[in-house]
Amino acid sequence: MVRYRKGIIVLGGVLLCVLGVILVREGLMKNSPLEKLERSVGYSEGMVHFTVPEEYDSSWYIQISGRLETEGGGMSVHYLDEESEAGSWEKGKMYSFPVEEGSWSELVLYVSSGNEEADINLLDYIPKD
C-alpha cells in the first residue's frame, strides 16, 4: 500500500510538471513579437493603428494590403508602402492610416519576423455599418 501511495504521488508530481511546462509555453507564445503586434492593432475615428514591437529588426517584413469593392469591380489598396518597401519601420512607433468608407472584401496586415509569420485580418477591427 505504501508503494501504491508513492506511485500516485510521483504520478501527480509528473502531471504537475507537465501542466507547468504547458502553461509556461502558452504564456511565452502569447508574448511573441507577432502577438504583441496583433494586440496593438486598433481602430478609431476612421484610422487603423498598430505599434511595431521593440523586438523589430531588419529581418522583418510588414505589408498592409486589401481589396475595396466598387461599382466598377474591385480596387487593390496598399498602405504605408514607403515603410514596407524600405523596411524603415521604427521600434515602438505607432503607425496609422485612414480607412476609406466602402465595401471591403479584404484588409490584411501581413508580417514576417524571420521566425514566424502572420496575416492579421484588419477587418476584424473596423466597425461594421
Side-chain angles (χ1 to χ4, degrees), residues 3 11 20 24-25 29 32 38 65 97 100 119 121 124:
R3 281 172 119 179
L11 180 61
V24 167
R25 183 172 175 240
M29 290 179 72
S32 78
E38 187 167 5
S65 60
F97 57 92
E100 296 87 6
D119 286 315
N121 183 359
D124 291 344

Side-chain angles (χ1 to χ4, degrees), residues 23-73:
L23 291 174
V24 167
R25 183 172 175 240
E26 288 297 313
L28 291 174
M29 290 179 72
K30 288 182 181 179
N31 288 323
S32 78
L34 270 55
E35 291 283 333
K36 289 178 185 178
L37 175 66
E38 187 167 5
R39 282 195 309 271
S40 76
V41 175
Y43 175 88
S44 62
E45 300 179 13
M47 303 283 284
V48 171
H49 57 84
F50 63 93
T51 301
V52 174
E54 292 295 328
E55 294 86 350
Y56 172 81
D57 64 39
S58 62
S59 69
W60 285 46
Y61 179 75
I62 301 172
Q63 179 184 35
I64 303 154
S65 60
R67 183 163 182 81
L68 183 61
E69 300 303 324
T70 63
E71 290 180 19

Side-chain angles (χ1 to χ4, degrees), residues 86-101:
S88 61
W89 305 97
E90 294 180 35
K91 298 176 183 185
K93 181 176 178 182
M94 179 186 284
Y95 290 87
S96 62
F97 57 92
V99 179
E100 296 87 6
E101 288 186 27

Side-chain angles (χ1 to χ4, degrees), residues 2 22 26 36 40 63 67 72-73 77 84 92 100 105-106 117:
V2 172
I22 290 170
E26 288 297 313
K36 289 178 185 178
S40 76
Q63 179 184 35
R67 183 163 182 81
V77 294
S84 291
E100 296 87 6
S105 59
E106 182 179 342
E117 60 183 57

